[in-house]
Amino acid sequence: MKVPSYDKNNRRQAFERLPKGAYVCKILNIEEAKSKSGKDMLKISFDIAEGEYKDFYAKQYQANTSEDKKWSYDATMYLLFPYDGCEAFISRNWDTFWADVEDSNNGYVFDGNEKTVKGKTFGGLFRIEQTEYNGNIYDHTRLAFTRIAQDIRDEKYSLPEDKLVAAAAPTNDDSFMDVPTGLEMDLPFK
């Protein structure tokens, strides 16, 4: 068999994941969008504004050499507009976001024009969220809830629980791994 050559410049870039935690974030862009079910929502792109991970997503974006690079899904928040008959959490998320942005930016008052929020800060609580795709489970660090930025600086928060795919959720079983009985194979270690 002849092994094909390779392009050293086409290697996959190293991927660093933001650790779960609490961060002060800055809104970089905001635009109106539609959810998959046709509901009005805002698509809010943000980055980490302070601390060790400042500009975390911008650095990842700049380091990406692929032609189709996009802003990280993990640094994008989707906020549904409240609508008649919507679940209470949709209205609460809407109200909480705007209140947290106002209280994080001295003197800022939301006037109904979403474009005025660009450049404003807010606090964010990030957790690990897993997604399953083609039988594989992937971990993402995602914004779970917003808070007032000063509460993050003052460490007045509790981190939310991770959102794990049921198949990947840890069990109380102390065993390392279940190996079927009667299976004959060479183990990769001996």
Side-chain angles (χ1 to χ4, degrees), residues 1 22-23 35 66 69 79 85-86 102 114 120 129 173-174:
M1 170 170 81
Y23 301 95
S35 70
S66 69
K69 67 181 179 179
L79 188 65
C86 71
E102 284 185 353
E114 77 279 359
K120 303 295 186 245
E129 292 187 9
D173 189 357
D174 289 336

Side-chain angles (χ1 to χ4, degrees), residues 66-129:
S66 69
E67 292 179 20
D68 64 340
K69 67 181 179 179
K70 297 177 181 135
W71 191 252
S72 175
Y73 170 76
D74 293 341
T76 305
M77 173 185 175
Y78 297 91
L79 188 65
L80 283 171
F81 287 31
Y83 54 91
D84 289 339
C86 71
E87 296 88 350
F89 78 88
I90 292 172
S91 296
R92 191 169 30 258
N93 286 348
W94 181 265
D95 295 341
T96 300
F97 174 75
W98 293 110
D100 288 345
V101 170
E102 284 185 353
D103 291 345
S104 295
N105 297 276
N106 193 21
Y108 174 72
V109 177
F110 178 60
D111 64 1
N113 179 357
E114 77 279 359
K115 299 297 182 189
T116 64
V117 79
K118 192 173 177 180
K120 303 295 186 245
T121 59
F122 65 92
L125 300 178
F126 290 74
R127 67 181 172 194
I128 302 299
E129 292 187 9

Side-chain angles (χ1 to χ4, degrees), residues 55-66:
D55 301 325
F56 181 83
Y57 295 107
K59 290 173 185 171
Q60 275 190 340
Y61 180 82
Q62 291 163 356
N64 186 343
T65 58
S66 69

